[in-house]
């Protein structure tokens, strides 16, 4: 047994699991080629492309929600119902920011920078400067 996994548990990456669920693939039919026999995206896509895949008509299944998820759902519902909400929209001209992002990404193929990354960095610098 691989450390960190319970006996009988299927080792599958989150992306592979999502694709398998969306396509109706039974992950028990797959053989993982990832680290420690983990099922990865390529395994699911290869299975789908092999033509062996036949969708089994699944009935609606009821999945019991954990206590933690129930509490989270209850608190989110209470928050939405009891706390006044307002929504703010601001239009920003970010042409130079997009150019900077594209320049950074073209210089380094291994790391991709997003607009959110740059906004967070600017906010952090501002907080540091005015704290």
């Amino acid at each position: 047994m691989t450390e960190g996994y319970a006996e009988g548990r299927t080792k599958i990456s989150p992306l592979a699991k999502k694709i398998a669920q969306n396509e109706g693939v039974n992950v028990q039919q797959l053989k993982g080629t990832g680290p420690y026999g983990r099922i990865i995206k390529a395994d699911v896509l290869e299975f789908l492309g092999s033509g062996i895949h036949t969708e089994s008509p699944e009935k609606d299944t009821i999945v019991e929600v954990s206590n933690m998820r129930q509490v989270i759902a209850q608190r989110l519902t209470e928050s939405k119902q009891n706390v006044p909400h307002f929504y703010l929209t601001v239009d920003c001209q970010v042409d130079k920011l997009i150019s900077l992002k594209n320049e950074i990404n073209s210089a380094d193929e291994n790391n991709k920078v997003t607009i959110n990354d740059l906004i967070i960095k600017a906010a952090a610098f501002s907080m540091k400067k005015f704290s």
Side-chain angles (χ1 to χ4, degrees):
M1 180 170 90
T2 305
E3 188 175 317
Y5 289 102
E7 190 74 36
R9 179 175 172 203
T10 303
K11 297 172 280 189
I12 183 168
S13 74
L15 179 58
K17 184 177 183 179
K18 183 175 183 178
I19 293 170
Q21 286 175 341
N22 289 344
E23 297 296 327
V25 174
N26 181 357
V27 295
Q28 301 299 325
Q29 296 175 326
L30 302 177
K31 177 164 174 38
T33 59
Y36 304 105
R38 185 177 194 183
I39 298 169
I40 57 175
K41 174 185 170 185
D43 299 327
V44 178
L45 295 178
E46 181 179 328
F47 181 77
L48 289 171
S50 69
I52 300 171
H53 173 63
T54 57
E55 284 192 36
S56 58
E58 294 184 19
K59 299 286 182 191
D60 290 340
T61 56
I62 297 174
V63 178
E64 193 169 323
V65 180
S66 70
N67 288 337
M68 182 175 72
R69 293 276 180 199
Q70 287 177 344
V71 171
I72 290 170
Q74 179 184 8
R75 299 261 169 87
L76 284 172
T77 302
E78 288 174 2
S79 170
K80 189 67 175 170
Q81 290 174 349
N82 299 333
V83 177
H85 287 73
F86 70 94
Y87 300 93
L88 178 65
T89 304
V90 177
D91 292 328
C92 299
Q93 186 175 359
V94 292
D95 297 340
K96 290 183 181 179
L97 188 63
I98 292 172
S99 296
L100 175 63
K101 175 190 76 85
N102 292 338
E103 183 180 323
I104 292 169
N105 287 339
S106 66
D108 185 6
E109 295 293 323
N110 295 328
N111 296 319
K112 292 296 178 191
V113 175
T114 65
I115 297 292
N116 283 345
D117 296 333
L118 296 172
I119 291 172
I120 290 169
K121 185 168 186 164
F125 277 132
S126 296
M127 290 171 61
K128 186 176 180 181
K129 182 176 180 179
F130 294 106
S131 294

